[in-house]
Amino acid sequence: MSSVTAIKEGMPRQKGSGAPRMKSEERRELILAAASGVFGERGYVGTTTDAVAKAAGVSQPYVVRMFGTKSALFEAVLQRSLGTLLREFRREIAAQGRATPELPGCIGRCYVELLSDRGLLLSLMQGFMLGADPEVGPIVRAGFLEVYRVLRDEGGFSPEQAADFLAEGMMINTLVALRMGADFDTDRDARELIEGTMPAKASMLRDLART
Amino acid sequence: MSSVTAIKEGMPRQKGSGAPRMKSEERRELILAAASGVFGERGYVGTTTDAVAKAAGVSQPYVVRMFGTKSALFEAVLQRSLGTLLREFRREIAAQGRATPELPGCIGRCYVELLSDRGLLLSLMQGFMLGADPEVGPIVRAGFLEVYRVLRDEGGFSPEQAADFLAEGMMINTLVALRMGADFDTDRDARELIEGTMPAKASMLRDLART
DNA sequence: CTCCGTTGTAATCATCCGATTACAACATAC
DNA sequence: GTATGTTGTAATCGGATGATTACAACGGAG
């Protein structure tokens, strides 16, 4: 079929080396993890499906076909992030016991640990900023309230404790989004603010902003 | 291509009514106010210069020419919002006196009042989410730290007081971005969370989300 | 009046991006 | 072997959007 038929030939697949054929579920998780990072960094609108594809090491049409639309991909990322957050909170509650005096501090540490999964908290926060969107809005409102209920009903937080905890969380999210950690070593006020907000794990913010 | 003269004619200026010719500084303020609302609602990337133009009642090229680029327009909006915020805080500090016990509560009320200027706090928050941007990032970090310094140095807040105040502010911003006020009347938990966060002015969030 | 700077718009361009199509390479069943 | 489903990509399309150009209407100075 080489020459005579003038139809254009795709000259494909010379990656003779171990072509890493993968099951679609593995690819799905790979793409979700990559998308979480990109959405967290650039926001929903600022993220291109091509950037996600490159971060995941696949082609752009593959990303779109697997999730249908960019919007569906973002919602899958949100569900994944929220699911991880709730699971970790519940694990901590189970470990420390409901309404123990140590629990708030433990869940706080737990929250900060989640920062190591670059993109998890930031993609959620980017979702919160889309509250006015008729499709994403209801999802993120419900997710936020679910976190509140887990703290109050399963963790035994008082409403005020839960609200204060969430306020601290939003502050941390904001400092991360701002990349305030980049100024940790060079700006006294930045350092004081970060250490005042998360005394234990201040250095984590600095290292996070290095990237 | 209907008629003989194929050249398309620009048929201009039939607005015979009072053409509201305006000085460019008035237009500038009009556009900034409109842009503040649109950027606050849709974020930087999600906002089109055409949407800003329509909100301000002018044409899209006019917006671009007046500010040069969309990015410059956004930075002007940020400076305007930050300027208003700092001015109001300083006014409150001057009225109540530095480091008085009433001051934190007064500045808190002052902050919530700023919500009536739809878009002011939200456009700032949208700016915070751009912290990774090499151009906007330094600007918003500097702005955030300036607010912190005003509270601490001019208001006499302790570092911890200032950090707690900012955390509450970020929580309020998040609730506004989420449009959580939309569920105020229909969801017990949403109402409890809002009232736990801003006891005095909870209804303001509800009314704000009605739009 | 004419001249000219300011205020404003219509039309258009170039680029980016999500989505679609068509197809290639592999895997498994028969 | 052949048939069929799965995994993956190259090429491309159509719409959106920031920016540019060219031009029109006003208003004050002389």
Side-chain angles (χ1 to χ4, degrees), chain B residues 4-65:
Chain B
V4 193
T5 69
I7 45 171
K8 69 185 84 163
E9 328 196 22
M11 171 56 86
R13 274 285 176 185
Q14 71 276 26
K15 49 166 56 177
S17 63
R21 200 65 176 263
M22 214 177 262
K23 293 290 187 186
S24 82
E25 284 199 20
E26 304 173 60
R27 283 287 190 218
R28 188 184 162 88
E29 174 55 26
L30 257 171
I31 293 175
L32 280 177
S36 175
V38 183
F39 278 127
E41 176 136 345
R42 307 200 207 178
Y44 172 68
V45 190
T47 294
T48 67
T49 54
D50 191 58
V52 172
K54 282 188 168 52
V58 297
S59 67
Q60 180 262 344
Y62 191 79
V63 172
V64 173
R65 200 182 47 186

Short mmCIF file of all heavy atoms in Angstrom, two decimals, chain B residues 4-65:
data_model
loop_
_atom_site.label_atom_id
_atom_site.label_comp_id
_atom_site.label_asym_id
_atom_site.label_seq_id
_atom_site.Cartn_x
_atom_site.Cartn_y
_atom_site.Cartn_z
N VAL B 4 -26.15 47.32 -5.68
CA VAL B 4 -25.15 47.64 -6.68
C VAL B 4 -23.79 47.97 -6.06
O VAL B 4 -22.78 47.37 -6.41
CB VAL B 4 -25.62 48.83 -7.54
CG1 VAL B 4 -24.73 48.93 -8.76
CG2 VAL B 4 -27.07 48.67 -7.89
N THR B 5 -23.83 48.90 -5.16
CA THR B 5 -22.56 49.29 -4.55
C THR B 5 -22.14 48.20 -3.58
O THR B 5 -22.70 48.03 -2.52
CB THR B 5 -22.72 50.60 -3.76
OG1 THR B 5 -23.53 50.34 -2.65
CG2 THR B 5 -23.35 51.65 -4.63
N ALA B 6 -21.15 47.44 -3.98
CA ALA B 6 -20.78 46.30 -3.15
C ALA B 6 -19.97 46.70 -1.93
O ALA B 6 -19.79 45.93 -1.02
CB ALA B 6 -19.99 45.29 -3.98
N ILE B 7 -19.45 47.92 -1.98
CA ILE B 7 -18.66 48.34 -0.81
C ILE B 7 -19.56 48.46 0.41
O ILE B 7 -20.64 49.03 0.36
CB ILE B 7 -17.99 49.70 -1.06
CG1 ILE B 7 -19.01 50.65 -1.70
CG2 ILE B 7 -16.77 49.52 -1.92
CD1 ILE B 7 -18.53 52.05 -1.78
N LYS B 8 -19.10 47.87 1.48
CA LYS B 8 -19.95 47.96 2.67
C LYS B 8 -19.79 49.32 3.32
O LYS B 8 -18.69 49.80 3.56
CB LYS B 8 -19.63 46.84 3.65
CG LYS B 8 -18.30 46.94 4.32
CD LYS B 8 -18.06 45.72 5.17
CE LYS B 8 -17.51 44.56 4.36
NZ LYS B 8 -16.91 43.52 5.16
N GLU B 9 -20.89 49.92 3.61
CA GLU B 9 -20.84 51.26 4.17
C GLU B 9 -20.95 51.21 5.68
O GLU B 9 -21.80 50.55 6.23
CB GLU B 9 -22.01 52.10 3.66
CG GLU B 9 -22.44 51.73 2.27
CD GLU B 9 -23.30 52.84 1.71
OE1 GLU B 9 -23.18 53.96 2.20
OE2 GLU B 9 -24.08 52.58 0.79
N GLY B 10 -20.08 51.93 6.33
CA GLY B 10 -20.26 52.12 7.77
C GLY B 10 -21.33 53.17 7.95
O GLY B 10 -21.14 54.31 7.58
N MET B 11 -22.47 52.77 8.46
CA MET B 11 -23.55 53.74 8.72
C MET B 11 -23.48 54.14 10.18
O MET B 11 -23.93 53.42 11.04
CB MET B 11 -24.90 53.09 8.40
CG MET B 11 -26.09 53.91 8.84
SD MET B 11 -26.07 55.54 8.14
CE MET B 11 -26.87 55.19 6.57
N PRO B 12 -22.89 55.27 10.46
CA PRO B 12 -22.49 55.54 11.82
C PRO B 12 -23.38 56.55 12.54
O PRO B 12 -24.04 57.36 11.91
CB PRO B 12 -21.11 56.14 11.63
CG PRO B 12 -21.19 56.78 10.26
CD PRO B 12 -22.39 56.25 9.54
N ARG B 13 -23.32 56.43 13.85
CA ARG B 13 -23.80 57.51 14.73
C ARG B 13 -25.23 57.92 14.52
O ARG B 13 -25.51 59.06 14.21
CB ARG B 13 -22.95 58.75 14.52
CG ARG B 13 -21.72 58.80 15.34
CD ARG B 13 -22.01 59.14 16.78
NE ARG B 13 -20.76 59.06 17.54
CZ ARG B 13 -20.70 59.20 18.83
NH1 ARG B 13 -21.79 59.42 19.52
NH2 ARG B 13 -19.57 59.09 19.46
N GLN B 14 -26.16 57.00 14.65
CA GLN B 14 -27.52 57.48 14.61
C GLN B 14 -28.09 57.71 16.01
O GLN B 14 -29.26 57.96 16.17
CB GLN B 14 -28.43 56.51 13.84
CG GLN B 14 -28.71 55.23 14.56
CD GLN B 14 -27.62 54.21 14.34
OE1 GLN B 14 -26.47 54.56 14.07
NE2 GLN B 14 -27.96 52.95 14.45
N LYS B 15 -27.24 57.57 17.02
CA LYS B 15 -27.78 57.84 18.36
C LYS B 15 -27.99 59.36 18.51
O LYS B 15 -27.20 60.07 19.10
CB LYS B 15 -26.90 57.28 19.47
CG LYS B 15 -25.43 57.60 19.39
CD LYS B 15 -24.75 57.28 20.72
CE LYS B 15 -24.99 55.83 21.13
NZ LYS B 15 -24.28 55.53 22.37
N GLY B 16 -29.08 59.79 17.95
CA GLY B 16 -29.37 61.21 17.95
C GLY B 16 -29.63 61.76 19.34
O GLY B 16 -29.41 62.92 19.60
N SER B 17 -30.06 60.86 20.24
CA SER B 17 -30.34 61.33 21.59
C SER B 17 -29.07 61.85 22.24
O SER B 17 -27.99 61.74 21.70
CB SER B 17 -30.92 60.19 22.41
OG SER B 17 -29.99 59.15 22.53
N GLY B 18 -29.22 62.37 23.41
CA GLY B 18 -28.09 62.99 24.07
C GLY B 18 -26.88 62.09 24.15
O GLY B 18 -26.77 61.29 25.05
N ALA B 19 -25.99 62.22 23.21
CA ALA B 19 -24.78 61.43 23.27
C ALA B 19 -23.96 61.88 24.48
O ALA B 19 -23.53 63.02 24.53
CB ALA B 19 -23.98 61.64 21.98
N PRO B 20 -23.75 60.96 25.42
CA PRO B 20 -23.17 61.38 26.70
C PRO B 20 -21.67 61.47 26.64
O PRO B 20 -20.98 60.72 27.29
CB PRO B 20 -23.63 60.27 27.64
CG PRO B 20 -23.73 59.05 26.75
CD PRO B 20 -23.96 59.54 25.35
N ARG B 21 -21.18 62.37 25.88
CA ARG B 21 -19.73 62.57 25.80
C ARG B 21 -19.15 62.78 27.18
O ARG B 21 -19.65 63.57 27.97
CB ARG B 21 -19.45 63.78 24.90
CG ARG B 21 -18.07 63.83 24.35
CD ARG B 21 -17.84 62.66 23.41
NE ARG B 21 -16.52 62.75 22.79
CZ ARG B 21 -16.32 63.26 21.59
NH1 ARG B 21 -17.33 63.68 20.90
NH2 ARG B 21 -15.11 63.33 21.09
N MET B 22 -18.06 62.10 27.46
CA MET B 22 -17.56 62.07 28.83
C MET B 22 -16.06 62.28 28.86
O MET B 22 -15.36 61.92 27.92
CB MET B 22 -17.88 60.70 29.43
CG MET B 22 -18.20 60.72 30.91
SD MET B 22 -18.66 59.06 31.47
CE MET B 22 -20.44 59.18 31.43
N LYS B 23 -15.55 62.85 29.90
CA LYS B 23 -14.11 62.95 30.06
C LYS B 23 -13.55 61.55 30.33
O LYS B 23 -14.20 60.71 30.96
CB LYS B 23 -13.75 63.86 31.24
CG LYS B 23 -14.11 65.31 31.01
CD LYS B 23 -13.21 65.92 29.95
CE LYS B 23 -13.48 67.43 29.85
NZ LYS B 23 -12.72 68.06 28.74
N SER B 24 -12.32 61.34 29.88
CA SER B 24 -11.79 59.98 29.96
C SER B 24 -11.58 59.53 31.40
O SER B 24 -11.59 58.35 31.69
CB SER B 24 -10.48 59.89 29.17
OG SER B 24 -9.41 60.34 29.92
N GLU B 25 -11.38 60.46 32.31
CA GLU B 25 -11.20 60.03 33.70
C GLU B 25 -12.47 59.47 34.30
O GLU B 25 -12.44 58.53 35.10
CB GLU B 25 -10.69 61.20 34.55
CG GLU B 25 -9.21 61.47 34.32
CD GLU B 25 -8.63 62.28 35.46
OE1 GLU B 25 -9.22 62.31 36.55
OE2 GLU B 25 -7.57 62.90 35.24
N GLU B 26 -13.62 60.06 33.91
CA GLU B 26 -14.88 59.48 34.38
C GLU B 26 -15.06 58.09 33.82
O GLU B 26 -15.44 57.15 34.52
CB GLU B 26 -16.05 60.36 33.94
CG GLU B 26 -15.96 61.81 34.39
CD GLU B 26 -17.08 62.62 33.77
OE1 GLU B 26 -18.25 62.29 34.04
OE2 GLU B 26 -16.81 63.59 33.01
N ARG B 27 -14.80 57.96 32.51
CA ARG B 27 -14.89 56.64 31.86
C ARG B 27 -13.98 55.65 32.56
O ARG B 27 -14.33 54.50 32.78
CB ARG B 27 -14.49 56.75 30.39
CG ARG B 27 -15.53 57.35 29.50
CD ARG B 27 -16.67 56.38 29.26
NE ARG B 27 -17.56 56.88 28.22
CZ ARG B 27 -18.87 56.73 28.25
NH1 ARG B 27 -19.45 56.12 29.26
NH2 ARG B 27 -19.61 57.19 27.27
N ARG B 28 -12.81 56.11 32.88
CA ARG B 28 -11.84 55.23 33.53
C ARG B 28 -12.41 54.66 34.82
O ARG B 28 -12.35 53.46 35.08
CB ARG B 28 -10.56 56.00 33.81
CG ARG B 28 -9.43 55.13 34.30
CD ARG B 28 -8.20 55.99 34.65
NE ARG B 28 -7.29 55.23 35.49
CZ ARG B 28 -6.33 54.45 35.03
NH1 ARG B 28 -6.18 54.32 33.74
NH2 ARG B 28 -5.55 53.77 35.85
N GLU B 29 -12.97 55.52 35.62
CA GLU B 29 -13.54 55.04 36.89
C GLU B 29 -14.73 54.12 36.64
O GLU B 29 -14.90 53.09 37.30
CB GLU B 29 -13.94 56.24 37.76
CG GLU B 29 -14.68 55.87 39.03
CD GLU B 29 -13.92 54.89 39.92
OE1 GLU B 29 -12.68 54.84 39.85
OE2 GLU B 29 -14.59 54.14 40.66
N LEU B 30 -15.57 54.48 35.67
CA LEU B 30 -16.70 53.62 35.31
C LEU B 30 -16.22 52.22 34.92
O LEU B 30 -16.77 51.20 35.35
CB LEU B 30 -17.44 54.24 34.12
CG LEU B 30 -18.76 54.95 34.41
CD1 LEU B 30 -19.24 55.67 33.16
CD2 LEU B 30 -19.79 53.95 34.88
N ILE B 31 -15.21 52.19 34.08
CA ILE B 31 -14.71 50.90 33.62
C ILE B 31 -14.08 50.12 34.76
O ILE B 31 -14.28 48.91 34.88
CB ILE B 31 -13.69 51.12 32.46
CG1 ILE B 31 -14.41 51.68 31.23
CG2 ILE B 31 -12.99 49.82 32.12
CD1 ILE B 31 -13.50 52.04 30.09
N LEU B 32 -13.32 50.81 35.62
CA LEU B 32 -12.71 50.11 36.74
C LEU B 32 -13.76 49.49 37.65
O LEU B 32 -13.63 48.35 38.09
CB LEU B 32 -11.83 51.07 37.55
CG LEU B 32 -10.45 51.33 36.96
CD1 LEU B 32 -9.70 52.37 37.79
CD2 LEU B 32 -9.65 50.04 36.91
N ALA B 33 -14.83 50.23 37.91
CA ALA B 33 -15.88 49.70 38.78
C ALA B 33 -16.54 48.49 38.14
O ALA B 33 -16.76 47.46 38.79
CB ALA B 33 -16.91 50.79 39.07
N ALA B 34 -16.82 48.61 36.84
CA ALA B 34 -17.44 47.49 36.15
C ALA B 34 -16.50 46.29 36.11
O ALA B 34 -16.91 45.14 36.37
CB ALA B 34 -17.82 47.90 34.72
N ALA B 35 -15.24 46.55 35.83
CA ALA B 35 -14.27 45.46 35.73
C ALA B 35 -14.10 44.77 37.07
O ALA B 35 -13.94 43.54 37.14
CB ALA B 35 -12.92 46.00 35.24
N SER B 36 -14.14 45.54 38.14
CA SER B 36 -14.03 44.94 39.47
C SER B 36 -15.10 43.88 39.68
O SER B 36 -14.82 42.79 40.18
CB SER B 36 -14.14 46.05 40.52
OG SER B 36 -14.16 45.50 41.82
N GLY B 37 -16.32 44.21 39.28
CA GLY B 37 -17.41 43.25 39.42
C GLY B 37 -17.23 42.01 38.57
O GLY B 37 -17.41 40.88 39.03
N VAL B 38 -16.83 42.22 37.33
CA VAL B 38 -16.71 41.08 36.42
C VAL B 38 -15.53 40.19 36.81
O VAL B 38 -15.63 38.97 36.87
CB VAL B 38 -16.58 41.55 34.96
CG1 VAL B 38 -16.52 40.37 34.02
CG2 VAL B 38 -17.76 42.45 34.59
N PHE B 39 -14.38 40.81 37.08
CA PHE B 39 -13.22 40.03 37.51
C PHE B 39 -13.53 39.28 38.80
O PHE B 39 -13.13 38.12 38.97
CB PHE B 39 -12.01 40.94 37.73
CG PHE B 39 -11.26 41.30 36.49
CD1 PHE B 39 -10.99 42.62 36.17
CD2 PHE B 39 -10.80 40.32 35.62
CE1 PHE B 39 -10.30 42.96 35.03
CE2 PHE B 39 -10.11 40.64 34.46
CZ PHE B 39 -9.86 41.98 34.17
N GLY B 40 -14.23 39.92 39.71
CA GLY B 40 -14.56 39.26 40.96
C GLY B 40 -15.44 38.05 40.76
O GLY B 40 -15.29 37.03 41.44
N GLU B 41 -16.34 38.14 39.81
CA GLU B 41 -17.27 37.04 39.59
C GLU B 41 -16.66 35.92 38.76
O GLU B 41 -16.87 34.75 39.05
CB GLU B 41 -18.51 37.57 38.87
CG GLU B 41 -19.49 36.48 38.50
CD GLU B 41 -20.92 36.87 38.80
OE1 GLU B 41 -21.13 37.85 39.53
OE2 GLU B 41 -21.83 36.17 38.31
N ARG B 42 -15.89 36.26 37.73
CA ARG B 42 -15.43 35.23 36.81
C ARG B 42 -13.94 34.95 36.87
O ARG B 42 -13.44 34.09 36.14
CB ARG B 42 -15.77 35.65 35.38
CG ARG B 42 -17.24 36.01 35.20
CD ARG B 42 -17.63 35.93 33.75
NE ARG B 42 -18.74 36.82 33.43
CZ ARG B 42 -19.24 36.97 32.22
NH1 ARG B 42 -18.71 36.30 31.22
NH2 ARG B 42 -20.25 37.79 32.00
N GLY B 43 -13.21 35.69 37.67
CA GLY B 43 -11.77 35.49 37.72
C GLY B 43 -11.06 36.19 36.59
O GLY B 43 -11.68 36.69 35.65
N TYR B 44 -9.73 36.23 36.67
CA TYR B 44 -8.97 36.96 35.67
C TYR B 44 -9.10 36.32 34.29
O TYR B 44 -9.51 36.98 33.33
CB TYR B 44 -7.49 37.04 36.05
CG TYR B 44 -6.63 37.60 34.96
CD1 TYR B 44 -6.77 38.94 34.59
CD2 TYR B 44 -5.73 36.81 34.27
CE1 TYR B 44 -6.00 39.45 33.56
CE2 TYR B 44 -4.95 37.32 33.24
CZ TYR B 44 -5.10 38.65 32.89
OH TYR B 44 -4.36 39.16 31.87
N VAL B 45 -8.78 35.04 34.19
CA VAL B 45 -8.78 34.39 32.87
C VAL B 45 -10.20 34.29 32.32
O VAL B 45 -10.41 34.40 31.12
CB VAL B 45 -8.13 32.99 32.96
CG1 VAL B 45 -7.91 32.43 31.57
CG2 VAL B 45 -6.83 33.06 33.72
N GLY B 46 -11.17 34.09 33.20
CA GLY B 46 -12.54 33.91 32.76
C GLY B 46 -13.23 35.18 32.34
O GLY B 46 -14.36 35.14 31.81
N THR B 47 -12.59 36.31 32.55
CA THR B 47 -13.18 37.59 32.19
C THR B 47 -12.72 38.02 30.80
O THR B 47 -11.53 38.01 30.52
CB THR B 47 -12.80 38.66 33.22
OG1 THR B 47 -13.40 38.33 34.47
CG2 THR B 47 -13.28 40.03 32.78
N THR B 48 -13.65 38.39 29.94
CA THR B 48 -13.28 38.92 28.63
C THR B 48 -13.36 40.44 28.67
O THR B 48 -14.18 41.02 29.38
CB THR B 48 -14.22 38.40 27.54
OG1 THR B 48 -15.53 38.94 27.75
CG2 THR B 48 -14.31 36.89 27.57
N THR B 49 -12.49 41.05 27.89
CA THR B 49 -12.53 42.51 27.83
C THR B 49 -13.88 42.98 27.28
O THR B 49 -14.33 44.07 27.61
CB THR B 49 -11.40 43.04 26.95
OG1 THR B 49 -11.46 42.40 25.68
CG2 THR B 49 -10.05 42.78 27.58
N ASP B 50 -14.51 42.13 26.48
CA ASP B 50 -15.81 42.49 25.96
C ASP B 50 -16.87 42.51 27.06
O ASP B 50 -17.75 43.38 27.08
CB ASP B 50 -16.22 41.51 24.85
CG ASP B 50 -17.43 41.98 24.10
OD1 ASP B 50 -17.37 43.09 23.53
OD2 ASP B 50 -18.45 41.26 24.08
N ALA B 51 -16.79 41.56 27.98
CA ALA B 51 -17.74 41.54 29.09
C ALA B 51 -17.58 42.80 29.94
O ALA B 51 -18.57 43.40 30.39
CB ALA B 51 -17.54 40.29 29.94
N VAL B 52 -16.35 43.20 30.18
CA VAL B 52 -16.10 44.43 30.93
C VAL B 52 -16.68 45.62 30.18
O VAL B 52 -17.35 46.49 30.76
CB VAL B 52 -14.60 44.62 31.18
CG1 VAL B 52 -14.31 45.98 31.77
CG2 VAL B 52 -14.05 43.51 32.08
N ALA B 53 -16.44 45.65 28.89
CA ALA B 53 -16.93 46.76 28.08
C ALA B 53 -18.45 46.86 28.15
O ALA B 53 -19.01 47.94 28.36
CB ALA B 53 -16.46 46.58 26.63
N LYS B 54 -19.11 45.72 27.98
CA LYS B 54 -20.58 45.72 28.04
C LYS B 54 -21.06 46.19 29.41
O LYS B 54 -22.02 46.96 29.52
CB LYS B 54 -21.10 44.33 27.73
CG LYS B 54 -21.11 44.00 26.24
CD LYS B 54 -21.82 42.67 25.97
CE LYS B 54 -22.09 42.48 24.47
NZ LYS B 54 -20.91 42.67 23.63
N ALA B 55 -20.40 45.71 30.47
CA ALA B 55 -20.81 46.11 31.83
C ALA B 55 -20.62 47.61 32.04
O ALA B 55 -21.35 48.24 32.80
CB ALA B 55 -20.02 45.31 32.87
N ALA B 56 -19.63 48.18 31.35
CA ALA B 56 -19.36 49.61 31.51
C ALA B 56 -20.11 50.44 30.48
O ALA B 56 -20.09 51.67 30.55
CB ALA B 56 -17.86 49.87 31.41
N GLY B 57 -20.72 49.77 29.50
CA GLY B 57 -21.47 50.50 28.48
C GLY B 57 -20.60 51.16 27.43
O GLY B 57 -20.96 52.20 26.87
N VAL B 58 -19.44 50.58 27.17
CA VAL B 58 -18.58 51.11 26.11
C VAL B 58 -18.19 49.97 25.18
O VAL B 58 -18.58 48.83 25.38
CB VAL B 58 -17.32 51.78 26.69
CG1 VAL B 58 -17.68 52.97 27.54
CG2 VAL B 58 -16.48 50.78 27.47
N SER B 59 -17.40 50.28 24.18
CA SER B 59 -17.01 49.24 23.24
C SER B 59 -15.74 48.55 23.72
O SER B 59 -14.94 49.11 24.47
CB SER B 59 -16.78 49.84 21.87
OG SER B 59 -15.67 50.70 21.89
N GLN B 60 -15.55 47.33 23.23
CA GLN B 60 -14.40 46.54 23.67
C GLN B 60 -13.06 47.19 23.32
O GLN B 60 -12.16 47.23 24.17
CB GLN B 60 -14.51 45.13 23.07
CG GLN B 60 -13.39 44.19 23.45
CD GLN B 60 -12.33 44.11 22.36
OE1 GLN B 60 -12.56 44.50 21.23
NE2 GLN B 60 -11.17 43.61 22.73
N PRO B 61 -12.87 47.72 22.11
CA PRO B 61 -11.57 48.34 21.82
C PRO B 61 -11.26 49.51 22.75
O PRO B 61 -10.10 49.78 23.05
CB PRO B 61 -11.72 48.82 20.37
CG PRO B 61 -12.77 47.95 19.81
CD PRO B 61 -13.72 47.68 20.92
N TYR B 62 -12.31 50.19 23.19
CA TYR B 62 -12.08 51.32 24.08
C TYR B 62 -11.43 50.88 25.39
O TYR B 62 -10.50 51.51 25.90
CB TYR B 62 -13.42 52.01 24.36
CG TYR B 62 -13.27 53.34 25.05
CD1 TYR B 62 -12.90 54.47 24.34
CD2 TYR B 62 -13.48 53.45 26.42
CE1 TYR B 62 -12.76 55.68 24.97
CE2 TYR B 62 -13.34 54.66 27.06
CZ TYR B 62 -12.98 55.78 26.33
OH TYR B 62 -12.82 56.99 26.96
N VAL B 63 -11.94 49.78 25.93
CA VAL B 63 -11.38 49.25 27.17
C VAL B 63 -9.91 48.90 26.99
O VAL B 63 -9.06 49.27 27.80
CB VAL B 63 -12.17 47.99 27.62
CG1 VAL B 63 -11.49 47.32 28.79
CG2 VAL B 63 -13.59 48.37 27.97
N VAL B 64 -9.63 48.19 25.89
CA VAL B 64 -8.25 47.77 25.67
C VAL B 64 -7.34 48.98 25.48
O VAL B 64 -6.25 49.05 26.04
CB VAL B 64 -8.18 46.84 24.45
CG1 VAL B 64 -6.73 46.52 24.11
CG2 VAL B 64 -8.94 45.55 24.73
N ARG B 65 -7.81 49.96 24.70
CA ARG B 65 -6.93 51.09 24.44
C ARG B 65 -6.66 51.90 25.70
O ARG B 65 -5.57 52.40 25.91
CB ARG B 65 -7.50 51.97 23.34
CG ARG B 65 -6.44 52.84 22.72
CD ARG B 65 -6.99 53.76 21.66
NE ARG B 65 -8.20 54.44 22.11
CZ ARG B 65 -8.94 55.20 21.32
NH1 ARG B 65 -8.60 55.34 20.06
NH2 ARG B 65 -9.99 55.81 21.78
#
